Amino acid sequence: MELILALLRYAFLVLLYLFIFAVFRAVVEDLSRIKLAGRNMSNSYKLVVRESGESSNLQPGDIFPLGDQVVLGRYADSDIAIGDPHISARHAALRQENGFLVLQDLGSTNGTFLNGKRIKGNKRLQPGDLLRLGDVTFEVMGWENESGST
């Protein structure tokens, strides 16, 4: 009987160690995926404030590295919060789609402008493009250099 209890204890310990190892391995794999996913866009693109308007909380030269999806708007919980009365609470979104940076107006009242033209639907962006929301103008830049090319 004591032999059976000892074997059960060892079997339990082995199973416990295997479980801990599996959990550790899953966490490491998830963290690796997060790092790789973050590299896709955040190391590829950034927004640079070119004009900030008088009532904005942003300053020319402010830089915003972009994640997989970024919401721009007046709400404080926006990824890029812009204190401009001409900007909607959730004004526009940027996201990665098939390796491209895509801009979408989220039904804003005053519109989202790409290179001076009001957009409808989704628009692909490239380094050097100018986005205007309210009185704020951003330039899309490549992360590797300041010239806008990646």
Side-chain angles (χ1 to χ4, degrees), residues 6-65:
L7 288 174
L8 285 174
R9 284 184 190 141
Y10 286 120
F12 177 75
L13 285 175
V14 167
L15 288 174
L16 183 62
Y17 283 124
L18 287 174
F19 175 76
I20 291 171
F21 176 74
V23 168
F24 178 75
R25 196 169 109 202
V27 168
V28 168
E29 286 177 8
D30 282 348
L31 290 175
S32 296
R33 271 189 242 136
I34 289 170
K35 276 187 182 177
L36 291 175
R39 284 186 194 159
N40 289 342
M41 241 175 74
S42 57
N43 287 339
S44 299
Y45 298 103
K46 61 184 173 179
L47 287 183
V48 179
V49 177
R50 292 298 175 212
E51 297 176 21
S52 60
E54 293 179 16
S55 58
S56 173
N57 58 319
L58 306 178
Q59 298 297 317
D62 286 351
I63 298 172
F64 298 94

Side-chain angles (χ1 to χ4, degrees), residues 4 17 25 34 49 61 63 66 68 72-73 89 96 112 118 120-121 124 132 135 141 144 147-148:
I4 293 174
Y17 283 124
R25 196 169 109 202
I34 289 170
V49 177
I63 298 172
L66 300 177
D68 286 333
L72 297 93
Q96 182 177 5
T112 300
R118 189 171 184 155
K120 292 181 181 175
R124 281 188 186 173
R132 185 170 59 80
D135 292 330
M141 302 284 283
E144 286 77 15
S147 67

Side-chain angles (χ1 to χ4, degrees), residues 79-92:
D79 298 306
I80 301 176
I82 306 167
D84 181 331
H86 300 106
I87 293 179
S88 297
R90 289 178 43 85
H91 195 99

Side-chain angles (χ1 to χ4, degrees), residues 2 48 67 76 80 83-84 94 105 116 121-122:
E2 287 183 30
V48 179
I80 301 176
D84 181 331
L94 295 166
D105 184 271
N122 297 332

